Structures are given as structure tokens and as C-alpha cells.
Amino acid sequence: MNFSKELKTGVLIVCTIALGIYGLNYLKGYDLFSTSDEYYAIYPDANGLLESNPILINGMHVGKIQRINFVDDNSGRVIVKFILTNTEFKIPNDSRALMASLDLLGAKGIRIMPGTSATYLQDGDTLATGTEDGMVDRLSKELIPTKQKAEHLISSIDSTLQQLNKVLNGGGSASLQQILINLSKTTSDVNDLLASEKTRLNHIFANAESITLNLRNNQDNLTAIMKNAALMTDSLAKSNLKSTIANADKSLAELTKTLNQINSGKGTLGKLIKDDTLYNNLNTSAKDLDKLFIDIKEHPSRYVNFSIFGGKKESK
Amino acid sequence: MSTISNYLYNIGKYGIFMKRVFSKPEKWGMYKRQFFIEVDSLAIGSLGIVAFISIFMGAVITLQSAFGFESPWIPLYAVGVASRDTIILELSPTIISLILAGKVGSSIASEMGTMRVTEQLDALEIMGVNSAAYMTLPKILACTIMFPFLITISMFLAILGGWIFGVLSGAVSSYEYIYGITHNFKVFNVYYSLIKSFIFAFLISSVSSFYGYYTKGGAVEVAQSSTKAVVYISVLILVFNYILTQLLLV
């Protein structure tokens, strides 16, 4: 069968126009070849709801929004016309059509909360409406106080930084630099010291280690010592220390009295210390004795008379 | 300097050629017959390759989008949105026009070139026919009228191909793809793309006719002018694609 070129062209044009109209309507959310029920819902605010957004019943996708218009009464409310392609579930007439956020990107949809009534909605009916807080709505509700707090925080950080800037600009910077230079010098000195005294430090640590080791080894002994000390202090505490001290105190008072008497030159001891008569007498006696001894040395014969060969002179 | 003046010379020559093409026809009936011949050969003859390329282009763009959006943060219906917008805005009008530039442009240029070198155009002139108009106007009309239809078919088939292969390969579910392609759809994108394809069709038919009409010499020159035509059409399509996008979308 041979088609004329005109016929082929005509067929192409008509088919394409039909295809284009069907495709455009499909993309806009109308499916020309499927039967569906239409329902309406009236909201005070469309709130990002778009044509072809989904209609869900218990999470099941049953239809889409076909058109959103203002209500005729110029109240600013919007009437949403939506079609249900899946009509297996009959919607009770006390169901509510809740506007809901479906995902994180903020895609909206209508969630139909089925009621319990035994009578069902008919094609073309209008549903009761409501809104459901989506994740984003909830987040933004919680976010606003947090944001205010963050603003406070940021402003206080800002003022702090301004103060810091003031300090740094008013010569604080130079001081800080000086401090850092000093610190660097100090640390390098410490480094030098550590390097030069490394062996000694090592010794010190070794000694300390051995000391602690000894301490640990002698732990039992130390415990015994401590016990003894405790015992001693115990017995000290128990002993009649107070009266002893009181007696000692009394004795010392007596002693002081005696010493005072001695100092004032009373009694024998006092005379001995304060009166130099005895000393003078003794001194004179010693001088005399000295003279006597000198005399004896020079003239022994005056006092000692002896003869190896017998006593002739005595007889004289 | 010489290249620029050469370009300007060619643009001027093209303008004069267009004036001749759009002068009042001697006889409408002759043009009508010629028009349907051209529609048959240029548009209906390209239907197969357009359909084939569109289906696979749609399939590939869908699979690539699904591959690229493998993130828990991006809902999978974004694959449908991305495929639909890419196909409608760019792939169908521009890529298919480039394919048609290769197919139709080279055929027009070589046909006209051969007619020129075999002196058939001169014979038409002697018969008192405006050869430029008689040979070119039906082609331009056929292309500018029929290519938007081809692009419409291409868009339809590309989105359909994306759905078929996306669902068959399991990259995206049927519901998500369909939700995606109907999500936030802007009808103007289709008009924009049809306006683009109209302009591209005019460029393809007129520039290739121009290069074919002014062929001089023999078979080698016919090949050269056909090649030149395809190259210049491709460049012009890309340049006008940018200009039109900037004018219409931004």
C-alpha cells in the first residue's frame, strides 16, 4: 500500500500533536486515559504545595494534586483539586486532608487521615483539612530559639574580641611579643641546662630511684618503726608527764631562788663568789710561799742542813 | 583581517541568498509539491534515527542520573526531574538538531551542490524559475514546520525510554520516575525547546542550502561544501543555543 506524501505528513503532524497534548497533560499531572475521582480541599495557605504533588493514604500513594486555585470568595484561601487514581480504598466522610512535608527537601503533599464513619465520600466532595508539622517545620521551630542564643553568643564573642583587639592595639601586642621572646629564651635556657646537666640529672634520678627502692624494700621495717613510734608516743601520753613537769618546774624555781641568794652574796657560796677576801688571802699566802721558796732556793742551808760526811756543823 | 572580512562577506552573501529565497514564488503549486517531497525525505525520513537516538538517550540520561544521585539525602524521584528537564531543555532540541544537522544538512548541501555542478540550477534559471527559492524554500519550510514535531516525538520517546530502561534496570521505580517527571513541571520549558528547534531547523536548512547553492567545481567541491555546511551548522546551533537560552530562560 503506497501512502501519498501528503497523507504521511498529515499522519505525522496529527500523531505528534496528539502525542504532544497527551504528554504535556501527563507531565502537568492530568492523565487523560485513566478514570479517577476528584476531591477538593480548602486551605488557608498553599504553603509550597504544588500541582502534581502526591496524595497519600496511610503512606500509600493514591493520587496527585491537579490544580490549586484561590477560592472564588476573594478570601485568599486556596482550593486544592486532587484526583485519586487508586480508588480501592473508600474514604470515610469524616476523613481529614492534612498538608504534610514529605521529605527533607520540603516537598509537600496531602496526607489523608481516614476517619471512622461508615459513609463514604463521593466524587467531587470536599474534605476537612488540617496541617501536619513536617520535619522541616519542627526543625525550624526548634531552630529559632537556638539561633537567638547563637546570636547572643556571637555578639558577646564579638565584644570580647574587640576588647582583645583594643588591648593588642594599645601596646599589648609589643608586650606579648616581648613575653614570647622571653619565654623562648627561658625555654632555650632550660633546654641548655637540661642538656648540660643531663648526666647529673640521670644520677639524681637513679639515686632517687634507689632510695625509693630501698624504701619499698624496707617497707616492713618502716612499718615496724612506725608502730614502735606509735607505741612510744602512746606510753608517753599515758605516763604522768604533767606532774613530772610540775615537779621539775618547782625544782627549777627553788634553784632560781638559791642562785639569787648566791648572787646577792648570802651564805657561804655567796661569799665565795661575791667576797674576794678568800682570794686575796690565798693570793697573799701564795706570794709569801713564793718568797719562801725563793729564799729556800738561794739559801737552802738556812732551812736544810745535811752533810754527806756526818754532822760536824751541827755540833758547832 | 582577511578571515573577518571573509566571514562578513559570507554573512552578506547569505543575506542576499535569503532575500532571493523569500522572494514571491512564481507558482505556489510547484512549491507545494516540492514541499511534500522535502517533508517526506527530510522529516519522515529522519523519524527512525530520531526515535532510536531519543529512546537510548533518555535511557542513558536516566541511568546516569540514578547513578549520580546515589545519596540518601536526594530522593530518587529527583532522577525523574533531572531526566525530564535535561531531555526537554537540552538533549531533545539541541542534540537531535545536531544529529539532524549531520543527516539533513549534508544531504541538502550535497544535493544542491550536485545540482549546481551538473548545471541543473542553471537550467532552472534558464527556464525562468528562481532556482534559489524553488530549491530552498520548500526545504526551509519543511524543516522549520516539521522539525518541532520531530523534537516533540523525541521528547516523548526519550522520557518514555528513560521510564522503560530505568524501571527495567531497577535504577528507579516506576512510581518515583513518574512522580519525578510530573513534579513541578513548567510548560514553558517545552515551548522554549520548540522555539529552539524551530530556529535550529531554519539554520540547518538555510545554511546547508547556501553552501550547496554556491558550490563551484566538481565532486570534491561538493564534498567540501557539504562538510563545511555541517561544520558551520553545528557551530551555529551551539552559538544560537546559548543565545536563545540566555534570552528565553535567564
Side-chain angles (χ1 to χ4, degrees):
Chain A
M1 204 169 165
N2 199 11
F3 293 109
S4 76
K5 294 182 175 64
E6 283 84 349
L7 186 64
K8 278 198 268 184
T9 309
V11 168
L12 178 68
I13 288 175
V14 169
C15 288
T16 311
I17 287 174
L19 212 63
I21 289 168
Y22 174 70
L24 266 184
N25 279 318
Y26 190 86
L27 291 181
K28 278 158 83 175
Y30 305 89
D31 196 343
L32 299 180
F33 294 125
S34 69
T35 54
S36 55
D37 288 349
E38 291 174 10
Y39 295 100
Y40 297 90
I42 295 173
Y43 293 95
D45 181 357
N47 202 10
L49 205 63
L50 295 169
E51 284 169 14
S52 90
N53 277 159
I55 311 296
L56 303 168
I57 296 176
N58 291 344
M60 177 97 174
H61 175 90
V62 292
K64 54 190 165 188
I65 292 170
Q66 196 167 52
R67 183 169 288 173
I68 303 174
N69 285 113
F70 282 114
V71 180
D72 281 340
D73 60 5
N74 204 28
S75 61
R77 293 181 302 163
V78 290
I79 181 161
V80 176
K81 178 185 177 190
F82 56 91
I83 51 169
L84 297 190
T85 46
N86 183 342
T87 49
E88 291 164 33
F89 181 80
K90 289 188 175 54
I91 303 170
N93 64 3
D94 59 344
S95 304
R96 277 151 48 83
L98 303 179
M99 191 186 289
S101 286
L102 300 180
D103 63 20
L104 275 177
L105 294 180
K108 299 277 183 175
I110 291 178
R111 215 187 280 283
I112 294 177
M113 297 299 286
T116 49
S117 168
T119 51
Y120 300 108
L121 286 174
Q122 298 299 309
D123 191 6
D125 282 352
T126 303
L127 273 81
T129 56
T131 43
E132 183 187 83
D133 271 357
M135 201 183 230
V136 177
D137 298 317
R138 265 176 284 167
L139 258 182
S140 59
K141 264 179 203 164
E142 299 205 352
L143 214 60
I144 287 164
T146 315
K147 184 182 150 250
Q148 281 165 349
K149 276 181 201 163
E151 271 165 8
H152 276 300
L153 185 67
I154 286 166
S155 71
S156 58
I157 287 174
D158 190 46
S159 62
T160 311
L161 283 177
Q162 275 174 0
Q163 296 288 342
L164 195 64
N165 258 348
K166 250 186 231 165
V167 170
L168 284 179
N169 287 339
S173 169
S175 316
L176 203 63
Q177 212 166 10
Q178 194 55 47
I179 288 168
L180 285 176
I181 290 167
N182 290 345
L183 196 62
S184 147
K185 218 167 135 193
T186 311
T187 49
S188 81
D189 283 355
V190 169
N191 258 352
D192 287 349
L193 188 70
L194 283 177
S196 60
E197 301 294 325
K198 198 176 173 186
T199 48
R200 283 171 74 174
L201 280 171
N202 275 345
H203 277 305
I204 289 168
F205 282 127
N207 289 344
E209 195 184 325
S210 76
I211 287 167
T212 49
L213 200 70
N214 279 339
L215 279 175
R216 200 180 68 189
N217 291 343
N218 291 328
Q219 207 172 16
D220 294 343
N221 292 342
L222 281 171
T223 317
I225 287 170
M226 291 291 178
K227 247 182 221 164
N228 289 344
L231 274 175
M232 207 169 83
T233 48
D234 266 7
S235 53
L236 267 177
K238 277 177 198 157
S239 65
N240 208 346
L241 202 60
K242 202 179 168 187
S243 64
T244 313
I245 287 170
N247 285 342
D249 205 32
K250 232 159 123 191
S251 311
L252 280 174
E254 292 291 318
L255 197 60
T256 313
K257 226 157 107 190
T258 313
L259 282 174
N260 279 342
Q261 280 179 357
I262 288 169
N263 269 344
S264 56
K266 283 178 189 162
T268 315
L269 271 170
K271 293 240 168 73
L272 189 66
I273 288 165
K274 288 284 175 180
D275 205 349
D276 54 357
T277 323
L278 182 63
Y279 165 75
N280 287 341
N281 289 346
L282 281 171
N283 208 13
T284 327
S285 302
K287 272 179 187 162
D288 289 348
L289 212 55
D290 194 38
K291 278 178 194 161
L292 179 67
F293 281 135
I294 292 166
D295 199 48
I296 289 172
K297 198 176 169 188
E298 283 171 358
H299 309 285
S301 57
R302 280 187 195 167
Y303 306 93
V304 182
N305 195 11
F306 69 88
S307 162
I308 302 165
F309 308 108
K312 256 183 191 175
K313 279 176 185 174
E314 210 180 17
S315 57
K316 195 175 76 166
Chain B
M1 185 59 211
S2 64
T3 15
I4 294 171
S5 65
N6 196 26
Y7 281 135
L8 289 174
Y9 172 79
N10 274 326
I11 290 168
K13 202 169 154 190
Y14 174 78
I16 293 162
F17 176 68
M18 280 300 109
K19 197 185 152 229
R20 277 190 68 193
V21 168
F22 286 102
S23 55
K24 196 171 177 295
E26 297 86 0
K27 234 174 126 186
W28 275 110
M30 214 161 67
Y31 281 77
K32 201 183 114 191
R33 198 167 50 90
Q34 196 66 23
F35 170 76
F36 283 108
I37 293 170
E38 301 298 357
V39 167
D40 189 45
S41 78
L42 300 180
I44 297 172
S46 306
L47 210 52
I49 189 164
V50 166
F52 184 79
I53 289 169
S54 299
I55 288 173
F56 282 94
M57 201 167 63
V60 168
I61 199 71
T62 303
L63 295 187
Q64 281 181 350
S65 307
F67 177 73
F69 290 158
E70 246 177 31
S71 154
W73 292 99
I74 302 173
L76 213 49
Y77 73 77
V79 173
V81 178
S83 304
R84 178 200 70 202
D85 282 346
T86 324
I87 287 165
I88 289 178
L89 290 176
E90 188 65 16
L91 288 181
S92 276
T94 310
I95 301 297
I96 297 296
S97 290
L98 285 172
I99 303 286
L100 289 173
K103 185 182 180 294
V104 174
S106 67
S107 105
I108 292 176
S110 50
E111 184 195 338
M112 297 276 279
T114 312
M115 285 179 84
R116 165 64 68 195
V117 298
T118 54
E119 296 173 347
Q120 293 178 50
L121 292 177
D122 298 322
L124 283 171
E125 289 287 332
I126 287 164
M127 285 191 279
V129 176
N130 180 352
S131 63
Y134 177 67
M135 288 313 298
T136 309
L137 191 58
K139 292 190 202 313
I140 291 179
L141 290 177
C143 286
T144 49
I145 291 169
M146 293 312 292
F147 280 9
F149 287 98
L150 287 185
I151 300 305
T152 309
I153 293 171
S154 159
M155 288 191 267
F156 186 88
L157 290 178
I159 292 174
L160 188 71
W163 176 67
I164 292 170
F165 286 93
V167 172
L168 277 186
S169 68
V172 61
S173 74
S174 175
Y175 163 64
E176 278 164 328
Y177 187 81
I178 287 168
Y179 177 64
I181 61 171
T182 58
H183 177 80
N184 200 5
F185 172 66
K186 295 187 189 71
V187 189
F188 178 73
N189 287 355
V190 175
Y191 300 151
Y192 153 79
S193 134
L194 292 180
I195 291 168
K196 276 210 314 195
S197 61
F198 177 82
I199 306 251
F200 294 162
F202 183 80
L203 283 172
I204 291 168
S205 50
S206 65
V207 173
S208 57
S209 301
F210 171 71
Y211 276 104
Y213 192 80
Y214 289 108
T215 307
K216 283 192 188 91
V220 178
E221 280 76 16
V222 171
Q224 274 175 358
S225 57
S226 149
T227 310
K228 237 190 218 170
V230 173
V231 169
Y232 278 106
I233 291 164
S234 306
V235 171
L236 284 171
I237 282 177
L238 295 174
V239 170
F240 272 83
N241 186 32
Y242 170 72
I243 292 171
L244 288 171
T245 307
Q246 214 254 326
L247 286 177
L248 295 174
L249 282 192
V250 181

